[in-house]
Amino acid sequence: MRRAEDHFGNRAYAYGGGVYHDMHMAGSPGALVGSTWEDTRGNGVEYLHEIEQVIDYHAVLEPGARCRPGDTVLLGYPVHRCR
């Protein structure tokens, strides 16, 4: 879970914690964004993977117009088990 912070062009940026790009689940909506659960569950946006890094501390979301500063951003990750 992250928080939308800023806009630039048609992109919004969410900060908080490390984002491991190889953990994104194929077929997921990218991210769900909103200020309430009712808003969030119907507002899927794309999570862009253009940054060629293993870990980053922000997620780039598009279209930015569907993300307001302060909105909660939910990213889906697969479950990893440690042995």
Side-chain angles (χ1 to χ4, degrees), residues 37-57:
W37 176 239
E38 291 74 25
D39 292 339
T40 302
R41 65 183 179 187
N43 190 29
V45 297
E46 287 299 314
Y47 163 50
L48 303 180
H49 302 270
E50 298 173 351
I51 301 168
E52 296 292 331
Q53 297 181 49
V54 174
I55 185 173
D56 208 336
Y57 287 89

Side-chain angles (χ1 to χ4, degrees), residues 7-78:
H7 289 92
F8 183 78
N10 191 37
R11 294 180 175 176
Y13 296 85
Y15 300 95
V19 176
Y20 287 87
H21 294 279
D22 64 344
M23 292 175 57
H24 178 71
M25 292 188 306
S28 78
L32 297 175
V33 181
S35 59
T36 67
W37 176 239
E38 291 74 25
D39 292 339
T40 302
R41 65 183 179 187
N43 190 29
V45 297
E46 287 299 314
Y47 163 50
L48 303 180
H49 302 270
E50 298 173 351
I51 301 168
E52 296 292 331
Q53 297 181 49
V54 174
I55 185 173
D56 208 336
Y57 287 89
H58 66 276
V60 182
L61 308 170
E62 199 170 68
R66 291 173 52 186
C67 307
R68 297 177 307 257
D71 278 353
T72 297
V73 177
L74 299 173
L75 297 167
Y77 294 104

